[in-house]
Amino acid sequence: MSADVVEAPSFPQRRTCPYQPPGIYRDIAERGPINQVTLWNGRRVWLFTGYAESREILSDPRLSSDRSYDEYPTMAPHLGAEEARKLVLVGEDPPTHDIHRRLLNPEFGLKHARALRPRIQADIDALIDAMLEKGPPADLVADYAMPIPGLAMSALLGIPFADHAFFQDATRGVMQASTPEETNAAGKALFGYLDGLVSAQERDPGEELLGRLARRVLEGELGHDELVQLAMVLLIAGLETTSSMIPLGVVALFDHPEQLAALREGRVPVRVAVEELLRITAVTDFGGVRWVTDDIEIAGRHIKAGDGIVVSSTMANRDPSVHADPYTFDLSRGSRQHLTFGFGIHQCLGQSLARTQLEVAYETLVRRLPGLRLAVDSDELTMRQSGTMQGLVSLPVTW
Ligand code: HEM
């Protein structure tokens, strides 16, 4: 291994355990809270692994999320594609970001998530009914985890769930393609689809989120294309994250039968358990990618204008100064001190909705399928890793 590699290891790296990070991340974090790593294209960026330093940097106004600049670190080849670079909201800085966020914040509060809960519960019960009717084994990815956010986002936005296979595929295509061409094709297809739906809402606005925002377009407060782009980012951010997280959490529970029993027997309330599942599992190894617009001094490091920043939520969630014994999976920990939803102005817009789906998904699963267990050996499970997101290809279970 050359001195260079030791100094700035490549990032991100492939996982072998579905929920614990590769060992090298631990080595990096043990060197200090801020280190250099090398991306796929040879670029060196600053990797933040300390919890306090990560929060500090993500709150700094000298950071930019604007992907149209070359300074923005491209985490995988397909993310250099135009369709990935022009994402609104998550790829915007103030003041545009604040305008879009103010528009959407009221739609994603706790009140809305609570109102959707009965609908989410009914949809999840119907998925379990279908699994029971068909009988074991089932694939917890295809039969359970994938449709859950599809159903929730359809209900929230007011888009037909019948199109689920298309929009799930297209959103995955934008974020997890193998080439920039695939990302562009998926992005254009998704834009075309949502363009049609938004136009229909503008002709006859419905009561759901798209209908409510279509009224703003008719009142001249929002552009048509702007609404299509916002709908696109909501789908991209809201589907794959939740559907990948559910099975990763189930595997962590299978590997820790005493924790699974505690959840099943109600010794740990699901609301508390979900926070530890969020802390330990990670659908991505980075909770924020930025570039620096002005020199910054932080934790003894001098970060120059133009440098790239990557915050590792995975490692910040395992900072031993915040969580004792941080690699231990302990559902009763119940700490919300994790960066799984990011931090600062871009902190996850959909976190109340995500928590609601996760709570209902885990609680219903362990209650209605008390004998739930793996139907294959755990070493037969295959990870899907795109360099940006991670999940399981399938999760065969029986009960
Ligand atoms: C387990 C599920 C989820 C995880 C782990 C997750 C994680 C994250 C993270 C880390 C960020 C910050 C990105 C950054 O700072 O660059 C973020 C932002 C965002 N998330 Fe989530 N998310 C989840 C579910 C959802 C859901 C259900 C929605 C619903 C639409 C959603 C919508 C968004 C949006 C729109 C942003 C961008 C916010 C902004 O830039 O102001 N997410 N999410």
Side-chain angles (χ1 to χ4, degrees):
M1 202 184 277
S2 75
D4 248 22
V5 178
V6 173
E7 228 182 85
S10 65
F11 187 88
Q13 301 214 4
R14 290 190 80 74
R15 285 188 165 225
T16 46
C17 174
Y19 51 90
Q20 294 289 11
I24 184 135
Y25 289 9
R26 192 171 180 162
D27 300 341
I28 300 172
E30 278 170 4
R31 282 194 236 153
I34 308 169
N35 289 283
Q36 290 220 316
V37 289
T38 309
L39 303 184
W40 62 280
N41 54 3
R43 176 160 178 204
R44 281 189 177 204
V45 295
W46 296 101
L47 183 75
F48 280 61
T49 55
Y51 180 78
E53 295 77 9
S54 297
R55 280 165 53 113
E56 188 180 337
I57 197 76
L58 286 174
S59 324
D60 198 302
R62 291 165 293 183
L63 289 196
S64 172
S65 294
D66 191 336
R67 295 143 196 237
S68 63
Y69 288 82
D70 287 343
E71 285 85 349
Y72 184 86
T74 309
M75 298 301 290
H78 65 279
L79 294 179
E82 194 196 340
E83 291 291 324
R85 292 182 91 102
K86 69 176 196 206
L87 287 181
V88 294
L89 202 68
V90 72
E92 289 173 337
D93 294 334
T96 326
H97 173 265
D98 302 349
I99 295 167
H100 285 149
R101 190 78 197 215
R102 269 200 298 274
L103 184 77
L104 290 172
N105 271 344
E107 304 283 350
F108 283 89
L110 203 53
K111 199 179 78 185
H112 271 78
R114 284 206 181 116
L116 265 181
R117 196 177 182 112
R119 170 80 185 264
I120 292 171
Q121 181 70 66
D123 285 340
I124 289 181
D125 273 325
L127 294 172
I128 299 267
D129 290 344
M131 281 163 58
L132 285 169
E133 200 178 319
K134 208 175 95 204
D139 174 6
L140 219 57
V141 173
D143 298 335
Y144 196 64
M146 292 280 279
I148 289 173
L151 287 158
M153 293 302 283
S154 296
L156 178 79
L157 293 177
I159 62 177
F161 181 70
D163 299 337
H164 164 70
F166 164 76
F167 61 71
Q168 193 102 25
D169 255 25
T171 49
R172 181 177 280 184
V174 176
M175 293 316 286
Q176 301 189 54
S178 340
T179 64
E181 292 71 29
E182 275 174 42
T183 292
N184 281 336
K188 286 192 169 67
L190 192 58
F191 187 95
Y193 168 73
L194 290 168
D195 187 25
L197 287 184
V198 168
S199 299
Q201 293 285 345
E202 285 162 7
R203 286 191 296 274
D204 180 18
E207 293 312 312
E208 288 83 12
L209 191 148
L210 276 194
R212 289 195 289 273
L213 294 182
R215 287 193 181 87
R216 313 281 281 259
V217 175
L218 297 173
E219 286 155 14
E221 288 172 41
L222 185 68
H224 166 89
D225 279 7
E226 209 177 354
L227 176 51
V228 178
Q229 295 280 4
L230 285 171
M232 203 163 145
V233 91
L234 292 178
L235 283 186
I236 290 172
L239 293 174
E240 197 69 14
T241 41
T242 314
S243 66
S244 295
M245 153 111 202
I246 295 168
L248 293 176
V250 171
V251 175
L253 289 167
F254 283 159
D255 280 356
H256 298 81
E258 73 298 346
Q259 301 290 319
L260 178 57
L263 180 63
R264 188 176 280 144
E265 291 158 17
R267 278 182 280 126
V268 179
V270 70
R271 184 178 37 80
V272 173
V274 159
E275 294 309 318
E276 177 70 349
L277 285 157
L278 281 164
R279 182 186 76 85
I280 211 93
T281 61
V283 295
T284 174
D285 279 333
F286 31 95
V289 180
R290 309 281 190 269
W291 63 277
V292 169
T293 59
D294 209 346
D295 290 11
I296 296 179
E297 292 290 338
I298 177 166
R301 295 284 192 188
H302 180 71
I303 300 183
K304 293 196 306 300
D307 281 359
I309 299 280
V310 175
V311 170
S312 168
S313 40
T314 303
M315 294 316 297
N317 289 353
R318 287 168 176 76
D319 183 333
S321 69
V322 179
H323 295 111
D325 210 359
Y327 290 83
T328 299
F329 175 54
D330 174 6
L331 289 184
S332 65
R333 210 189 281 263
S335 163
R336 279 199 171 207
Q337 279 187 297
H338 58 71
L339 294 185
T340 303
F341 290 125
F343 193 72
I345 62 168
H346 291 279
Q347 194 178 37
C348 183
L349 174 73
Q351 58 184 290
S352 297
L353 179 61
R355 283 191 165 102
T356 303
Q357 293 178 75
L358 295 170
E359 283 173 27
V360 179
Y362 289 119
E363 190 279 326
T364 311
L365 193 65
V366 301
R367 176 170 48 81
R368 294 202 53 199
L369 301 177
L372 190 76
R373 60 193 181 278
L374 264 182
V376 294
D377 283 341
S378 57
D379 55 14
E380 284 176 50
L381 296 177
T382 314
M383 296 282 294
R384 185 171 37 69
Q385 306 187 69
S386 61
T388 46
M389 303 267 298
Q390 54 225 358
L392 287 163
V393 173
S394 66
L395 181 53
V397 292
T398 186
W399 52 88

